Amino acid sequence: MRVNGDEGEDKHTKEIEQVEESGSVVPTKLVVGYALTSKKKKSFMQPKLVGLARNKGISFIAIDPNRTLSDQGPFDVVLHKLPGREWCEVIEEYRQKHPEVTVLDPPNAVQHLHNRQSMLQDVADLNLSDSHGTVCVPKQLTITKDPSSIPNEVAKAGFKLPLVVKPLLVDGSAKSHELFLAYDQCSLSELEPPLVLQEFVNHGGVLFKIYIVGEAIKVVRRFSLPNISKRELEKLAGVFHFPRVSCAAASADDADLDPSIAELPQRPLLERLARELRQRLGLQLFNVDMIREYGTKDVFYVIDINYFPGYGKMPEYEHIFTDFLLSLPQIMYKKRPAT
């Protein structure tokens, strides 16, 4: 299988090679094979990660998706994020044949996050509420066909406008992360299924991106959609398009924001949420997009979960990720000869 979009990859590869050639030789403790799209490779396999990993005895080796995976390596760990059913079958077959290798993450678990109908179900089932806050999901409706029926479906479900509209399937493309806001019922029939409708929750224009790497948790604030008042809603009509709202350029960490809006969720709540989702999803590498309901201190909504997100945008990601790799079980029992 061939992965498209390799522009600029030669330059990026040379930068990594220069890092690998510099510095003293450290015995290899862990060999990590990676199969990533060119875009993910560029954002994740940065020289600062490769250099730190080398100093810690971690060797990264690019996997060629056009060659048989079992003929490459040997690997202790395989990192992967490539599109398509064909790759899922390849990595699952490899996982079955090589149980000694840690595959991050199992393809069947990853597939669970490719559908927004099932994505948030594990959060909904949690009913997570304690002294540190409540975590829930917005009311959600899945539409797979016949856009003319959407207004009736929305009315029957008792949804309040506006509605957030998202593609049902998440395939890694920019289009699958686009969203729309529908302000009136008549416009709903203009939408193109398959899609998911979520009730919009006012949240002060701030979103919390919760990055999870094994047991490590890092929270970054992003600017998000502003609040919509009842008066504004009466004036607005139609469907408005918003490309990737919470991109890295919209970081809110250094902004002078109202503390009641931007205060981070309490750590015990995040730790419990991350622990429960790791177990239920069967994943180690993911992030959770969460908002705080405006006017509350501790009512939160999870609105998206993403597998192997843009860790390159996470502060100190290279330290967090290399520590995680060295904490994996095989490093405890597998001794490699010095290289």
Side-chain angles (χ1 to χ4, degrees), residues 15-152:
E15 289 176 350
I16 291 177
E17 287 173 349
Q18 287 171 0
V19 172
E20 290 177 335
E21 289 170 1
S22 64
S24 57
V25 176
V26 177
T28 301
K29 300 175 184 176
L30 201 67
V31 177
V32 180
Y34 62 92
L36 307 171
T37 62
S38 57
K39 182 180 177 182
K40 177 63 69 175
K41 204 179 299 183
K42 187 174 181 181
S43 68
F44 180 73
M45 295 299 303
Q46 296 179 25
K48 61 181 180 179
L49 171 68
V50 176
L52 180 63
R54 181 178 175 82
N55 291 337
K56 291 185 175 184
I58 301 170
S59 175
F60 283 108
I61 298 177
I63 291 171
D64 183 351
N66 300 306
R67 290 174 51 205
T68 303
L69 186 51
S70 292
D71 292 344
Q72 303 178 64
F75 305 116
D76 298 313
V77 179
V78 168
L79 295 174
H80 70 95
K81 190 172 185 181
L82 289 178
R85 184 176 297 277
E86 184 182 351
W87 171 254
C88 286
E89 292 172 356
V90 168
I91 196 69
E92 181 58 35
E93 181 182 355
Y94 177 84
R95 206 169 72 92
Q96 298 296 330
K97 288 183 178 179
H98 298 273
E100 77 282 3
V101 179
T102 298
V103 174
L104 296 170
D105 276 303
N108 289 340
V110 175
Q111 286 293 113
H112 188 69
L113 296 188
H114 286 175
N115 187 309
R116 285 195 167 94
Q117 183 175 14
S118 58
M119 177 191 292
L120 300 183
Q121 189 56 51
D122 288 292
V123 182
D125 292 343
L126 277 180
N127 191 24
L128 183 55
S129 181
D130 60 24
S131 58
H132 302 288
T134 300
V135 179
C136 46
V137 299
K139 290 176 66 176
Q140 182 167 291
L141 184 64
T142 301
I143 306 291
T144 57
K145 55 186 178 179
D146 189 13
S148 65
S149 69
I150 299 177
N152 285 336

Side-chain angles (χ1 to χ4, degrees), residues 209-272:
K209 292 195 82 71
I210 304 161
Y211 292 97
I212 294 162
V213 183
E215 295 185 2
I217 303 169
K218 192 85 172 178
V219 185
V220 178
R221 283 170 287 213
R222 296 275 187 260
F223 286 117
S224 182
L225 298 176
N227 288 349
I228 302 169
S229 67
K230 290 182 179 179
R231 182 178 297 177
E232 287 174 309
L233 189 57
E234 289 172 358
K235 299 177 183 177
L236 294 168
V239 176
F240 290 79
H241 173 229
F242 295 90
R244 304 198 68 140
V245 172
S246 61
C247 63
S251 177
D253 274 353
D254 299 323
D256 185 17
L257 296 167
D258 182 343
S260 66
I261 294 172
E263 182 183 355
L264 295 179
Q266 291 198 42
R267 191 75 187 181
L269 184 72
L270 295 178
E271 289 174 349
R272 186 177 168 199

